[in-house]
Amino acid sequence: MLNAAETAALLRQFDQVLILTHVRPDGDTMGCAAALCAGLRRLGKCAYLLPNPELTKNCTPYFRPYEAPAGFTPDKVVAVDIATLGLLPDNARPYAGRIDLAIDHHPSFEGFGQACLVRPAAAACGEILYDVLAALGPITPEIALPLYVAISTDTGCFAYANTTAHTHAVAAALLSTGIDYQGVNKVFFRTKSRKQMQLEAAILGGCTFYDRERVAVLSVPLSLMEQVQASESDAEDLSSLGALIEGVDCAVTMRELSPDVWKFSVRTGSRVDASRVCQLLGGGGHAAAAGCTVEAPWADARDQMLAAIAQVVPDFCR
Amino acid sequence: MLNAAETAALLRQFDQVLILTHVRPDGDTMGCAAALCAGLRRLGKCAYLLPNPELTKNCTPYFRPYEAPAGFTPDKVVAVDIATLGLLPDNARPYAGRIDLAIDHHPSFEGFGQACLVRPAAAACGEILYDVLAALGPITPEIALPLYVAISTDTGCFAYANTTAHTHAVAAALLSTGIDYQGVNKVFFRTKSRKQMQLEAAILGGCTFYDRERVAVLSVPLSLMEQVQASESDAEDLSSLGALIEGVDCAVTMRELSPDVWKFSVRTGSRVDASRVCQLLGGGGHAAAAGCTVEAPWADARDQMLAAIAQVVPDFCR
């Protein structure tokens, strides 16, 4: 395991570098890759990002300018924010056995890569990249802007519990380069699609409460998705909605995948073990976030979930 | 005008201190007052906060422990986050002519106070208080927690455009004291009342679009407030809702104050000068946020607003 200075020293020896990102790419993997590429080029090196087939609209402006042309043959391969080789996109598979350096922050990192720098305490992989790039030279705006994307998106704009003093210290250094962080905040945190808005309105309007209003059930039937003509990305963040409601410590979101097939997402506070609840219905997950799938008409499926919660929570009130 | 070190030196000479906050108190004024009080007590001084008649539920845990007992007679009076004497609560009026020190960050600060420290570039008054308190001694968790409330609430948890490198640097210093900033984030940024949820659902569901969907109109009729039995605080943040919608750069919120009396809040991007729009209807404000009041039935009032926007924006599409 390397530290940031050792990683910087290793990168100084690299050239003809290809940088890999993970499937279902988020702002952290995309931003880290772009920032590292900018940093290596600043040192006069040839560096590119492997195109990611699932590149998202919001990340395109940061990622696209660094994409490798067809036929680029790398001498060195670096993976950023990738916990396991199983998370490589299909077009990255040929490089799975020859990754020279892996930089990651997942506790589940699987130890691939000739060399690696892994810090599970980092809220975002972007925080680690900052330390590495700062050891390579001054942080320019070209480096700072994608790093801000990486760090802000992985921390919910500094609101999630993973945010640390180091996260804010890095953000301070990035902002001091004069980047347009406001544009990033607007696009990633202060914009919703109209269809997202319509879905949220319908789902909140139809929300039902149980167990002295501590349990909220939010439903996303197929009919609603069709009525709004919503896409997957419009429905992406809905399962976090119920947990915002004051007094609710068990938010259940029921999404109809196909007629009468309901995918449950359960988000809970410390009173309710979501994992145990979902295990009773054939699913699983973590104590605060778990899921399962139930085949039944809506009311039946809901009743099965309420019965499972009642079985796990001693003070459930009918 | 003092700097932070001079202000700290002045405070060292104070004792028997009463600290004032502003009407309609927010996290910044409340958090600054509590932090200053904690800092002064740490120096062995007697210091209290003047009770604020409008103390909010979310701020109570930070403010209440420092409230002055009846009959406390101060020797020195300090105002925090108060731009003008007109913003003093009624019970602070007796001190209006004898404020020894004012610490503020509003560009509109009116220059009252024997001495003052004003920094309009600070996102929150809490950033200024941090510098003063750091000059007085180590920042303890008792000081850091209310300062985190002050800074995070005035920046929308570091998402608003007023956030600077200094804001993040101060946040880093505060978090390094080990405070429960997660509890603050949960209460202030990740909780909505059920009535707020119901209001949002109804308002988003009834949102209408104009001008190639760049203008959104959201309505809060009295009938809705009554139906949901919503209070003022439930309706507080609604005027920021429309600006979140993708593609919208002119969000108009119409709140019915009394039958057929509509208070407009207009939030805009750079294409639309909200101040000019609202001036046409007898109101005013800033380029990006302005307001006015129109007496007319709903459709009439809406049409007057659309006509005003059309007059100000050359490319308005009917």
Side-chain angles (χ1 to χ4, degrees):
Chain A
M1 182 76 72
L2 306 179
N3 63 28
E6 292 161 351
T7 305
L10 182 67
L11 283 167
R12 283 189 190 280
Q13 301 163 24
F14 283 11
D15 204 351
Q16 305 292 325
V17 182
L18 185 69
I19 302 166
L20 310 182
T21 52
H22 62 68
V23 290
R24 293 186 301 278
D26 55 12
D28 197 16
T29 196
M30 290 278 163
C32 284
L36 177 57
C37 199
L40 291 173
R41 288 187 184 184
R42 217 182 150 273
L43 297 177
K45 297 178 186 295
C46 172
Y48 287 109
L49 314 183
L50 184 70
N52 190 310
E54 297 175 293
L55 178 61
T56 57
K57 191 182 75 173
N58 285 349
C59 284
T60 298
Y62 308 102
F63 195 87
R64 181 72 25 100
Y66 297 108
E67 281 184 356
F72 172 65
T73 308
D75 185 44
K76 297 289 181 184
V77 180
V78 180
V80 288
D81 195 40
I82 303 179
T84 90
L85 293 173
L87 291 173
L88 289 176
D90 282 344
N91 64 343
R93 299 239 163 266
Y95 305 104
R98 48 165 296 202
I99 293 171
D100 299 284
L101 172 64
I103 304 177
D104 189 37
H105 72 126
H106 294 97
S108 56
F109 178 75
E110 280 189 353
F112 64 89
Q114 275 297 111
C116 58
L117 165 58
V118 181
R119 247 192 245 160
C125 192
E127 285 186 47
I128 312 174
L129 259 297
Y130 173 82
D131 290 344
V132 171
L133 289 164
L136 279 174
I139 298 290
T140 63
E142 292 69 35
I143 296 171
L145 190 61
L147 281 185
Y148 183 81
V149 171
I151 292 169
S152 62
T153 56
D154 250 30
T155 58
C157 204
F158 310 97
Y160 295 162
N162 58 1
T163 307
T164 65
H166 183 258
T167 316
H168 279 293
V170 172
L174 300 179
L175 261 59
S176 71
T177 67
I179 52 169
D180 177 27
Y181 73 94
Q182 302 177 21
V184 176
N185 288 356
K186 171 78 182 156
V187 167
F188 285 92
F189 308 110
R190 302 182 59 73
T191 301
K192 292 188 183 197
S193 73
R194 280 184 60 182
K195 288 175 180 179
Q196 248 178 311
M197 285 275 183
Q198 288 171 280
L199 280 178
E200 288 191 11
I203 291 162
L204 291 175
C207 178
T208 52
F209 295 88
Y210 309 90
D211 183 25
R212 291 192 180 147
E213 318 210 317
R214 292 177 296 188
V215 174
V217 175
L218 294 81
S219 305
V220 195
L222 277 175
S223 58
L224 176 62
M225 293 293 288
E226 282 157 16
Q227 180 197 320
V228 175
Q229 298 192 285
S231 68
E232 268 313 302
S233 75
D234 296 319
E236 215 165 52
D237 293 330
L238 294 176
S239 55
S240 61
L241 213 54
L244 297 177
I245 307 174
E246 191 172 17
V248 168
D249 69 356
C250 178
V252 175
T253 308
M254 310 178 50
R255 173 96 184 270
E256 194 176 21
L257 298 179
S258 55
D260 288 344
V261 177
W262 296 93
K263 179 171 170 276
F264 281 96
S265 300
V266 183
R267 300 277 184 278
T268 58
S270 57
R271 185 180 65 108
V272 184
D273 185 333
S275 169
R276 284 183 60 208
V277 169
C278 291
Q279 273 168 21
L280 289 174
L281 297 171
H286 306 278
C292 59
T293 303
V294 172
E295 275 198 61
W298 179 80
D300 262 23
R302 178 207 53 189
D303 288 346
Q304 289 185 39
M305 173 52 71
L306 292 176
I309 297 169
Q311 200 173 324
V312 167
V313 182
D315 66 344
F316 186 89
C317 295
R318 280 172 202 284
Chain B
M1 180 77 71
L2 304 179
N3 64 28
E6 292 160 351
T7 305
L10 183 66
L11 284 166
R12 282 190 189 280
Q13 301 165 25
F14 283 10
D15 204 351
Q16 307 291 325
V17 181
L18 184 68
I19 303 165
L20 310 181
T21 53
H22 62 67
V23 291
R24 295 186 299 280
D26 56 11
D28 198 15
T29 197
M30 290 279 162
C32 285
L36 178 57
C37 199
L40 291 173
R41 289 188 184 183
R42 217 182 148 274
L43 297 178
K45 295 176 185 297
C46 172
Y48 286 110
L49 313 183
L50 185 69
N52 190 311
E54 299 175 292
L55 178 61
T56 58
K57 192 182 76 175
N58 284 348
C59 285
T60 298
Y62 309 102
F63 194 86
R64 181 74 24 102
Y66 298 109
E67 280 183 356
F72 172 65
T73 308
D75 185 45
K76 298 288 181 183
V77 180
V78 180
V80 288
D81 195 41
I82 303 179
T84 89
L85 293 174
L87 292 172
L88 289 177
D90 282 343
N91 64 342
R93 300 239 162 267
Y95 304 103
R98 50 165 294 201
I99 293 172
D100 299 283
L101 172 65
I103 304 177
D104 189 36
H105 72 126
H106 293 97
S108 54
F109 178 75
E110 280 189 353
F112 64 90
Q114 275 296 111
C116 57
L117 164 58
V118 181
R119 248 193 244 159
C125 192
E127 287 186 45
I128 311 172
L129 260 295
Y130 172 82
D131 290 344
V132 171
L133 289 164
L136 278 174
I139 298 291
T140 62
E142 291 68 37
I143 296 170
L145 191 61
L147 281 185
Y148 183 81
V149 171
I151 292 170
S152 63
T153 55
D154 249 30
T155 59
C157 204
F158 310 97
Y160 295 162
N162 58 0
T163 308
T164 66
H166 184 259
T167 316
H168 279 293
V170 172
L174 300 178
L175 262 60
S176 70
T177 66
I179 52 168
D180 176 28
Y181 73 94
Q182 302 177 21
V184 176
N185 288 356
K186 170 76 182 159
V187 166
F188 285 92
F189 308 111
R190 302 181 62 72
T191 302
K192 292 187 185 200
S193 74
R194 280 183 61 183
K195 288 175 179 179
Q196 247 179 312
M197 285 277 184
Q198 288 172 282
L199 280 178
E200 287 192 11
I203 291 162
L204 291 174
C207 178
T208 51
F209 295 89
Y210 309 90
D211 184 24
R212 291 192 178 146
E213 319 211 318
R214 294 176 296 188
V215 174
V217 175
L218 295 82
S219 305
V220 195
L222 277 175
S223 58
L224 176 62
M225 292 293 287
E226 283 157 16
Q227 181 196 319
V228 174
Q229 297 191 284
S231 67
E232 267 313 300
S233 75
D234 297 318
E236 215 166 52
D237 294 331
L238 294 176
S239 56
S240 61
L241 213 55
L244 297 176
I245 307 174
E246 191 171 17
V248 168
D249 69 356
C250 177
V252 176
T253 308
M254 308 177 53
R255 171 95 185 271
E256 194 175 20
L257 298 181
S258 54
D260 288 344
V261 176
W262 297 92
K263 180 172 169 272
F264 282 96
S265 298
V266 182
R267 300 278 183 278
T268 58
S270 56
R271 185 180 65 108
V272 183
D273 185 331
S275 168
R276 283 184 59 208
V277 169
C278 290
Q279 274 168 20
L280 289 174
L281 297 171
H286 306 279
C292 59
T293 303
V294 172
E295 275 197 61
W298 178 80
D300 261 23
R302 177 206 55 189
D303 289 346
Q304 289 186 40
M305 173 53 71
L306 291 175
I309 298 169
Q311 198 173 326
V312 166
V313 182
D315 66 345
F316 186 90
C317 295
R318 278 171 204 286

